[in-house]
Structures are given as C-alpha cells and as structure tokens.
Amino acid sequence: MTPTGTLDALLVEQRVFRPAPATIIEANVKPHDLAEATALAAADPLAYWEKAALELEWHRKWDAVLDDSDAPFYRWFPGAQGNIAHNALDRHVHAWTKNKLALIWEGEAGDCRKFTYFELYREVNRLAGALRALGVTRGDRVCLYLPPIPETVVAMLAAAKIGAVHVFVFAGMSAKVLRERINDCRAKVLITADGFYRGGRLINLKTVVDEALAGVRSDAAETVVIVRRSGDDIDMQEPRDLYYHDLLRQESPEAATEIMEADDPLFWLHTSGASGKPKAVIHGHGGYMVGAHHTFRTVFDIKPTDIHFCTADPGWITGHTYGVYGPLLTGATVILYEGHPLYPQADRLPSIIERYGATIFYATPTLIRMLMRYGPQYPKKRDLSTLRLLGSVGEPLGAEAWMWFYKHFGESKCPLLDTWWQTETGMAMISPMPISVLKPGSVGKALPGIDADVVDAAGHSVPPGQGGFLVIKKPWPGMLLGLEGDAAGYVSTYWEQIPGLYFAGDVARRDEDGYFWMQGRADEVLNIAGHRVGTAEVEAALTSHRFVSEAAVIGLPDKIKGEVAKAFVIPDPGWVEAFADADAFGAELRSHVRRELGPIVVLRAVELRDTLPRTRSGKILRRQLRAEELGEGVEGITATDD
Ligand code: WT7
C-alpha cells in the first residue's frame, strides 16, 4: 500500500454546534458519564465491555471477556451462553415492556400494522415452531428474501430463537444473486413473500424466486415459505412451496429458545459490494448483541418513550443492528416502512414521522440528498417537532447535506449523529453522542472502548490534520467472527494490509480535537502529482456549490500529474438559468473546487448526469464510473451486485 501524502485538511470546516442544556440534562450518557466511560475504556477496555454485557441477560456468564489466543480470530465472552432472541423478545414478556409497541409498520399504500412485544413474541414463537417442524435445527441456514414487512422481523427473530443462522438477501437483488447465495449457504429453508409495493407498483417477488430456484443445488431451499403480502397470483409448487399463514395456523404461541454459545453464528450478511465482490460476514449471538444493545442505548440515547424510525431496509446491516436488534434489545418502538421514500410525494417520510410521532430519524446521505433536491417545503409541510435526534450512515454526508438535514428536519435543535461503521464492525464505532459538540461533515470521535486511529502504511499514527488509513487497534464486541468459508480472506483483507491492525478500507483524517473526517474508500483515493486526495473531499467541495446536488469523483490517468480528477455531477435544476451552457457551468465548478481545495486538485472534466450508478444499498459505484470512462469492462463490477 502506498503511504499517504501531504495534501491534507483541504476543506476546513469551522462551524460547530453545541447541545442544548436540556439535551445534556436528559441524555443517558451525560458529560461526566462519558468522561468516566472514556477513562475506564482507556484503562481497561475489557472491564468496560464486561459492564456493557452485564446490561443483558445470559443463560450462563462468560469464563473470560475476551479470548485473543487465536488472534485475529477474537472470541468475545467465551463460555457464555444465551440467545439474542431471549433479550430482544422473551425477556420483555416478563417486564413492563410486554404490552408496549415493538413495531409500527406502514405499507406503501398507507396500511398500518402494529405489534406489541407480546404479540411479536407470539408470532415469532409460531414461526419458530413451524421452522422446527420443517426440520430446521441449530446451525442450519435460513435464507430471507423479504421486503420490509413485519414478517421480516419475525423471520429474523424466529431463526435466531431456534439457533438457525439467517442469511438475508435484500429483496432488490436479482434471481442470479439470490441463487448464488442460496447455493453458497445451502439454505434449508427460504422465506420470502409473494410481492410488495414500491413506487406505486406491485413488485412480484415470487417470480424472481422461481427463477432463482430453477438452478439451485438439489440440497438447498427444499422448502419455500411464502408470506402473503400482495395477494398476487403466484405459482405454488407442491410440495416445495408453503404459505406462511397456513404454516403458522396450527403452531403454538410458545416455543423454547435455543441456548447458544456466545460465538455461535446468528447471521451471515454480505457486504454491499461498493468496492469489491461482496463478502459473507459472520456475526454471532454474544458479542454482536452486546455491541448492538450498548451502542443503541448510549449513542441513540434510547428512552422508554422513543419511537425510532430507521429508513434502512432490514436486509442491510443498518437494518439488522439499528432497525431490528438494537431497538428490540432496548425495548424501544421501531417504525418500519415498506415503500419508496418519495411515494406518493417527497413528504412521505416527514409524514410518517409526524403521524407516529417519531423521536429519532436515522437515514442515509443518499436519501438526505434526494430529499434536499426536492426542497425544504416537504419537511416544512409536516410537524416534525417530536424529533429529538437525527442520524446518518453509509457514506460521507458532507457539510452541505449535514446543514440541510440539521436545519430542515431537526429545526437546528436535534443533535445530528453521523455514525461511521461497517457490516463488519456490526455496531457504530465512530460517532458523536447527543451531548457532543458537532462539526458538520465530521463523524465525531471514536466511541468509548473503540481504539480508532489514522495511520500510515506501516501502522504509525499520522499527525492531526494529515490523511491516512483508518484502523481499529483493539478488538470490539460487535466485530465480525470471520468471513464465511474464507479464513485466509478474513486475515488478509482486514488484518494484514496494515500489520496487526483492523484495516477498515477507508481513508480519513483526524483533527486537533480528535474528530474524524472520512475521505472515502482507500482504493478510490486520487493521486494527483503525488498528493493523495480522498474522493469524499472533492465531492464535498462540489456539493457545497449551490447548483450541485450530488457528485461522484474518480481519478483518470494523466501523463504529467499521474492522475487528475473527473467529476460526475447531478446538477440542481436552477443551473440552466444561471449558466449559458454546460461548459460554462463546468468551468465554474472547476474554479469552485480550486477555490475550496487549492490549485493542487485538478478537476479535468465535469460531466452532468441525471443519476449516478449505485449499489443496491445506495452507495455510489465509483468503480463503475471509472471503468466506463476508461472503456474497461464493467462486467464483474455490477455483476456481483445486480
Ligand atoms: C462503509 C461500510 C454501517 C452501515 C452502512 C454501511 C462507509 C459508513 C459512514 C459515514 C462516511 C461511511 C465507509 C465504510 N461509511 N458510514 N458515517 N461516513 N462513510 O455499511 O455497506 O458495510 O459499508 O460505508 O466507507 O467502510 P457497509
């Protein structure tokens, strides 16, 4: 790996936002708690995480907090036994949360279903019983190809409850991807739906399933359980296909919870594939549960009265950790929305916030920028005064979108938590807390117990302000247990790039206050005349221009400078009146970037686009833009993900 260069701290953000006194008074983690937690975590990280583990119920306590004898195959809470479903569900039935709403679901057409913890518990038990009757046992894989509907949450928990491993395939994936994943995991059962609503259309999932299963290996997906959601006419193949509701009808609302070892797998989840072939990441019952619970309670500052609206599909890690497990582990109420965020118009999400009184709204930069393009009149139409926290995850948000979201959704009162983490980390790692001083565009500091740093290729910390590789220096409970079937890949991808440290694959810098600024993926960094420039920085400079709503930047080979930048820009409609033509607009953007970042960042070309290529989870596919630009095959880039 090449060392990072000298061009750093290009765009220095000066604005800071301080928490309101009431936020500090009411926070679960107040300044003195944070100071105490930080001190404990620094002095004795294992004691810190042990304390976090004690917030949950275990069938048997651990023999040690961490077994690092086979590093980097770290094992958290060895000897401990329990089940995440016990903590997410069973224990609420014996607590005051029993009759509290666990889940509020809204269909795209406006239909609504609500489940208390007790109701969810009964439904999960019935599916757990049905899966057992189908022969699913501990360690078996259950593949989920489901849209955002209540049964999706039920299916995840039912699999967990009987000790099976859920392998979620996002419902937007193709038959080919579904087939590969069913084959790879040799799923005993596939749980899916007839269809669902998205963007005003009925999407028929079952036809995709039929196509996928046509070429599937004979010992996989012998049974397909189909949730009736759309009522569409589907082709039922006897005896393989069974309706979910028929299956559950005779089942008991009670089912035993399998007692699992802490490092028994809970789920496999493929990475998004933004910068490489998707990898199947494994998370387990123990450490992941501690990480999800602890961060949701402290970072999202969850209170009994909270209603958490997570816009991520349950099929991504954000949906797994902060749409399902985190909220249920803490006894919160979570909102799940089935449909398109702009359907029937751009106030749909604000309208959901208003109607259910959501208190926390966790979204993605892609979504925020999309809403921004439609304008503030949409959030303004709705009463968003119940909100008390905002969150973002998945890509660099950038200062402009940060300010817009803060102002128009949070009325400049709600702390905006830009949380940095990954499928692999399982839990938020670097993020502000509600009591933090916020800097627009920064993901804040590492959370207590997380030893994050910015280093050079040899693993030495670089000085504040300088760019480098983001690493995690100590294991953390939510960390992946490994990559399925690829122990060597786990070691080489995450632990050998920078010897002995967890390499996240991102580049970042840290400022004098310890705040992290994400600069993009390491394999997408530009090298202009020996200066290494993160894509995120050039993109943030571009989106700070009032006529740019989104931007993607790639490097192009250049004889003299090594590389120069090319930008793909989704313009704000107003540019047409403001500029004579696209060339004039492009010239303005080139000088804007020069003004913002200095003359080193040479922006060779600007191309206007209506859309940018994205992964299914919404991340910009810069690899594809680059391959197209260089006339290279894009085969293998989208193929893994379409
Ligand atoms: C990659 C992980 C974890 C939930 C969703 C993404 C990028 C994530 C941020 C952020 C800048 C971010 C990183 C990371 N990323 N959060 N707040 N600011 N970049 O999970 O699909 O596994 O992707 O997303 O590049 O490595 P994922």
Side-chain angles (χ1 to χ4, degrees):
M1 216 177 293
T2 27
T4 47
T6 47
L7 185 77
D8 304 297
L10 295 169
L11 190 63
V12 178
E13 175 62 56
Q14 305 286 1
R15 290 170 285 196
V16 296
F17 295 88
R18 290 173 200 288
T23 303
I24 298 180
I25 292 164
E26 288 161 15
N28 286 349
V29 179
K30 300 184 193 357
H32 66 268
D33 301 315
L34 183 59
E36 218 170 80
T38 309
L40 172 61
D44 189 350
L46 297 186
Y48 179 78
W49 292 119
E50 179 160 42
K51 221 171 134 196
L54 288 167
E55 293 165 8
L56 292 153
E57 292 182 3
W58 300 80
H59 181 75
R60 182 187 187 275
K61 294 266 163 54
W62 41 92
D63 299 324
V65 177
L66 177 69
D67 174 3
D68 59 2
S69 59
D70 190 24
F73 295 90
Y74 294 98
R75 289 298 174 253
W76 283 85
F77 310 109
Q81 294 178 326
N83 188 312
I84 197 167
H86 172 84
N87 281 288
L89 212 53
D90 302 353
R91 72 168 169 151
H92 295 299
V93 173
H94 308 287
W96 71 270
T97 34
K98 178 176 177 182
N99 299 317
K100 183 184 170 179
L101 276 187
L103 177 65
I104 301 174
W105 173 80
E106 184 165 294
E108 195 182 70
D111 38 344
C112 173
R113 290 165 68 195
K114 294 177 181 169
F115 291 77
T116 64
Y117 274 91
F118 184 56
E119 289 167 331
L120 189 63
Y121 167 84
R122 288 171 58 92
E123 183 84 359
V124 167
N125 285 342
R126 292 162 73 216
L127 180 59
L131 289 174
R132 279 190 173 126
L134 290 170
V136 181
T137 57
R138 217 183 151 95
D140 285 344
R141 272 80 53 208
V142 174
C143 183
L144 309 182
Y145 186 61
L146 283 160
I149 52 177
E151 287 79 5
T152 303
V153 179
V154 172
M156 291 168 73
L157 293 165
K161 181 141 192 166
I162 64 170
V165 180
H166 57 75
V167 183
F168 210 123
V169 181
F170 171 61
M173 294 290 188
S174 67
K176 180 168 165 274
V177 173
L178 178 60
R179 181 185 312 132
E180 280 168 10
R181 300 210 176 152
I182 290 171
N183 280 338
D184 285 351
C185 77
R186 277 166 289 113
K188 196 149 207 171
V189 171
L190 169 68
I191 307 180
T192 187
D194 50 359
F196 66 109
Y197 295 86
R198 179 121 184 141
R201 291 189 309 139
L202 195 63
I203 312 286
N204 188 320
L205 264 193
K206 183 60 168 46
T207 49
V208 187
V209 169
D210 289 339
E211 191 189 330
L213 293 187
V216 100
R217 50 191 287 174
S218 59
D219 59 347
E222 284 162 26
T223 308
V224 180
V225 177
I226 300 134
V227 179
R228 218 161 161 67
R229 157 66 188 136
S230 63
D232 224 6
D233 238 350
I234 55 169
D235 184 21
M236 293 292 281
Q237 285 189 28
E238 304 273 344
R240 186 194 70 188
D241 296 352
L242 301 168
Y243 272 119
Y244 172 96
H245 301 93
D246 292 341
L247 201 60
L248 261 62
R249 200 161 292 137
Q250 313 89 323
E251 291 297 332
S252 157
E254 291 295 332
T257 302
E258 199 74 21
I259 296 164
M260 309 302 289
E261 302 297 320
D263 64 353
D264 276 337
L266 167 66
F267 63 84
W268 301 357
L269 192 63
H270 290 78
T271 55
S272 63
S275 56
K277 189 174 159 40
K279 301 179 267 289
V281 166
I282 312 168
H283 282 288
H285 275 261
Y288 172 79
M289 168 172 79
V290 172
H293 174 264
H294 183 69
T295 50
F296 197 63
R297 189 180 74 69
T298 56
V299 179
F300 289 87
D301 190 39
I302 204 75
K303 307 280 165 51
T305 45
D306 273 317
I307 297 189
H308 176 65
F309 184 15
C310 173
T311 62
D313 190 284
W316 304 118
I317 191 68
T318 307
H320 276 48
T321 303
Y322 298 120
V324 176
Y325 287 117
L328 299 182
L329 286 167
T330 50
T333 302
V334 74
I335 300 176
L336 179 65
Y337 169 55
E338 173 188 45
H340 193 280
L342 302 178
Y343 186 85
Q345 53 171 356
D347 69 339
R348 182 59 182 262
L349 301 179
S351 118
I352 292 173
I353 294 169
E354 176 185 76
R355 280 178 294 111
Y356 303 111
T359 56
I360 307 175
F361 183 53
Y362 194 30
T364 63
T366 309
L367 184 59
I368 295 162
R369 286 192 290 254
M370 194 155 84
L371 294 169
M372 199 171 154
R373 220 180 311 153
Y374 280 83
Q377 65 274 24
Y378 290 99
K380 223 175 244 126
K381 273 168 72 162
R382 301 292 177 169
D383 178 5
L384 304 184
S385 60
T386 53
L387 286 177
R388 65 179 195 90
L389 283 180
L390 300 173
S392 172
V393 65
E395 284 186 294
L397 182 56
E400 290 311 302
W402 195 103
M403 287 302 302
W404 189 89
F405 194 38
Y406 185 70
K407 188 163 163 209
H408 297 293
F409 272 75
E411 292 167 1
S412 304
K413 288 193 300 242
C414 303
L416 197 177
L417 314 174
D418 186 354
T419 59
W420 179 89
W421 57 295
Q422 308 178 293
T423 305
E424 293 88 337
T425 68
M427 61 188 241
M429 303 288 281
I430 306 177
S431 171
M433 305 265 249
I435 57 163
S436 302
V437 173
L438 303 169
K439 302 188 186 189
S442 166
V443 292
K445 299 185 193 184
L447 294 172
I450 302 301
D451 193 355
D453 198 2
V454 178
V455 301
D456 62 18
H460 302 301
S461 303
V462 301
Q466 196 172 309
F469 302 112
L470 179 69
V471 293
I472 312 293
K473 294 181 143 170
K474 286 196 190 80
W476 65 98
M479 69 193 298
L480 69 167
L481 294 171
L483 295 178
E484 179 52 35
D486 191 10
Y490 167 70
V491 177
S492 65
T493 308
Y494 303 110
W495 299 97
E496 283 179 352
Q497 309 256 354
I498 297 173
L501 306 177
Y502 174 84
F503 174 55
D506 286 345
V507 281
R509 70 184 157 81
R510 192 154 55 162
D511 67 18
E512 300 279 350
D513 300 326
Y515 281 56
F516 287 83
W517 300 78
M518 303 310 302
Q519 298 179 309
R521 297 290 298 173
D523 50 10
E524 292 172 343
V525 159
L526 315 183
N527 189 341
I528 305 175
H531 302 290
R532 300 185 71 77
V533 184
T535 51
E537 284 184 300
V538 190
E539 289 160 7
L542 283 161
T543 52
S544 73
H545 191 281
R546 60 186 286 245
F547 290 121
V548 175
S549 65
E550 293 205 55
V553 168
I554 60 165
L556 293 179
D558 179 90
K559 280 205 187 69
I560 296 162
K561 300 196 178 288
E563 238 178 357
V564 288
K566 168 160 184 179
F568 298 83
V569 162
I570 302 182
D572 189 277
W575 81 273
V576 182
E577 283 95 64
F579 297 93
D581 55 22
D583 286 346
F585 182 38
E588 155 69 9
L589 292 182
R590 288 205 301 279
S591 55
H592 175 74
V593 167
R594 202 173 314 123
R595 269 196 309 274
E596 294 284 322
L597 302 179
I600 291 159
V601 182
V602 182
L603 189 56
R604 169 70 41 88
V606 177
E607 187 177 317
L608 304 185
R609 291 255 180 138
D610 293 332
T611 56
L612 295 171
R614 294 184 181 279
T615 63
R616 297 284 157 151
S617 63
K619 286 185 202 288
I620 295 174
L621 267 169
R622 293 177 195 81
R623 289 185 304 139
Q624 185 176 328
L625 289 169
R626 191 156 194 275
E628 283 170 8
E629 194 64 28
L630 300 177
E632 292 167 357
V634 288
E635 195 73 28
I637 291 181
T638 48
T640 52
D641 195 53
D642 67 6

